[in-house]
Amino acid sequence: MTLLPITLIGDKILRKKATRVTEVDMKTIELIKNMFDTMRNASGIGLAANQVGSDKSIIVVDISGVEDCEEFKPLVLINPKIISRSEDVSVFEEGCLSIPDIRADVERPESITLTYNDTDLKEITLKADDLLARVVQHEYDHLQGILFTDLISDDLKKKVKKDIIKIKMRKIEFQYPVTEDVDYQMQ
Ligand code: ZN
C-alpha cells in the first residue's frame, strides 16, 4: 500500500485546473491505485488527483462504506464532465481531506449526469443522485480548482477563517500524511 501526502488548502495545485488525460499508462494506473489507498487510509469517500499533487483529470470515489450505499462499486472517473444538473437542490454538510476538521453545509444540485472515460479511455455516461452526486460534484470542483469552502456563506467563511490559517500553517494534528508546510504568508 502506498500512501501519498494529501495537499492542503493553500497548496497551489488545489487551485489549478486539471489537465486532460490522453493516455492511461502504468504510471497512471499506479496513481489511481495509490489514490484509492490514500483515500481509504484517510477514511475519505472521494479524492481528486490534485489532492495528491497530480494535475491529471482523475477522480476516485468509493461510497460503499456508507450506510445504505453498500451496493455502489468504487469508481474511477477520468476526464469527467458534468453535462446536466437537476433543478432540485439539496443541502448537505461537506468535509474535505484537504481542509481537515472543517465541515459546512453546501447547496448543490441533487442529481447530475456526467460523461467520463474509464481506464481504457472508453466514454461512459453516468447519472448520479443523492450522495454519489454530492461526492462527484465535490471532486469535480477540485479538478476546476474549486474548494467547498468557496461555496459557503460569507458568515461561515469568516467563522472558519482562523481554522483554515491553522491548517495552512500545519498547526493542527493530522490523521493522515499531508504535504509539508508551504511558505505560508498571511494575506
Ligand atoms: Zn475535497
Side-chain angles (χ1 to χ4, degrees), residues 63-141:
I63 60 170
S64 64
V66 177
E67 210 184 326
D68 296 331
C69 295
E70 295 84 359
E71 77 275 17
F72 286 96
K73 294 203 170 64
L75 277 173
V76 180
L77 310 177
I78 299 175
N79 303 324
K81 188 170 171 31
I82 295 178
I83 51 172
S84 75
R85 297 169 166 87
S86 66
E87 274 177 34
D88 289 343
V89 293
S90 65
V91 175
F92 188 83
E93 194 184 58
E94 294 190 17
C96 179
L97 296 178
S98 295
I99 317 173
D101 298 343
I102 295 179
R103 303 192 69 83
D105 282 347
V106 182
E107 186 183 283
R108 295 187 189 272
E110 217 162 60
S111 330
I112 52 165
T113 303
L114 67 145
T115 60
Y116 67 92
N117 295 129
D118 66 8
T119 49
D120 296 321
L121 290 182
K122 200 175 102 196
E123 187 170 284
I124 293 175
T125 304
L126 173 75
K127 187 174 183 305
D129 310 290
D130 304 322
L131 183 65
L132 184 61
R134 170 73 47 177
V135 177
V136 169
Q137 289 177 87
H138 176 115
E139 302 311 330
Y140 184 80
D141 275 358

Side-chain angles (χ1 to χ4, degrees), residues 14-56:
L14 287 177
R15 293 307 189 181
K16 261 191 80 181
K17 225 173 166 287
T19 306
R20 196 174 169 79
V21 175
T22 53
E23 189 199 353
V24 177
D25 54 14
M26 287 309 287
K27 264 183 145 174
T28 317
I29 296 292
E30 185 75 16
L31 171 68
I32 291 166
K33 190 186 155 295
N34 294 344
M35 283 173 68
F36 272 114
D37 287 348
T38 302
M39 174 181 75
R40 288 177 176 137
N41 175 67
S43 305
I45 53 177
L47 193 76
N50 58 359
Q51 292 184 276
V52 292
S54 163
D55 72 348
K56 288 190 162 72

Side-chain angles (χ1 to χ4, degrees), residues 109-186:
E110 217 162 60
S111 330
I112 52 165
T113 303
L114 67 145
T115 60
Y116 67 92
N117 295 129
D118 66 8
T119 49
D120 296 321
L121 290 182
K122 200 175 102 196
E123 187 170 284
I124 293 175
T125 304
L126 173 75
K127 187 174 183 305
D129 310 290
D130 304 322
L131 183 65
L132 184 61
R134 170 73 47 177
V135 177
V136 169
Q137 289 177 87
H138 176 115
E139 302 311 330
Y140 184 80
D141 275 358
H142 272 299
L143 297 181
Q144 326 299 318
I146 298 166
L147 299 171
F148 85 92
T149 44
D150 301 341
L151 310 175
I152 62 179
S153 68
D154 287 346
D155 275 0
L156 259 176
K157 273 183 193 156
K158 268 185 211 151
K159 255 177 127 175
V160 298
K161 205 174 166 187
K162 273 195 189 139
D163 292 326
I164 288 179
I165 290 173
K166 278 190 202 156
I167 296 169
K168 289 179 174 175
M169 297 177 79
R170 310 301 192 260
K171 288 273 197 292
I172 65 161
E173 226 181 276
F174 297 100
Q175 309 297 317
Y176 39 82
V178 299
T179 54
E180 276 174 42
D181 193 358
V182 281
D183 288 331
Y184 178 67
Q185 292 169 340
M186 288 282 209

